Amino acid sequence: MAAPDPEDGRAIDSETHFKIVAFLPHMFLGGVFSRPLLERRAADTDYLQRYVNTAVLPLAAARLTASGH
């Protein structure tokens, strides 16, 4: 079963989907550690909420859709 692409609703194949899902922890930690390096600002609660809602949850939702949950 193909998961919807979070950007435009198109289906992505299962192989691509699982490659994306494998990087979810990396993406989350990337937000925590990269903001201080790139922006010289702390990864505060507001930033992390925006980051998770914009970058992490759409891929997690695609994972649930692909698994039939």
Side-chain angles (χ1 to χ4, degrees):
M1 174 184 290
D5 182 308
E7 287 295 313
D8 61 14
R10 291 179 302 149
I12 57 174
D13 63 85
S14 295
E15 183 178 339
T16 301
H17 171 282
F18 288 109
K19 287 179 182 178
I20 292 168
V21 170
F23 286 102
L24 286 174
H26 300 82
M27 291 174 58
F28 183 72
L29 290 174
V32 172
F33 294 109
S34 65
R35 189 175 199 208
L37 292 172
L38 298 173
E39 300 179 22
R40 298 184 185 252
R41 298 175 65 190
D44 58 18
T45 303
D46 290 335
Y47 170 79
L48 290 174
Q49 285 176 337
R50 288 192 324 270
Y51 182 82
V52 168
N53 289 336
T54 304
V56 178
L57 289 181
L59 293 175
R63 177 178 185 232
L64 291 175
T65 301
S67 66
H69 291 97

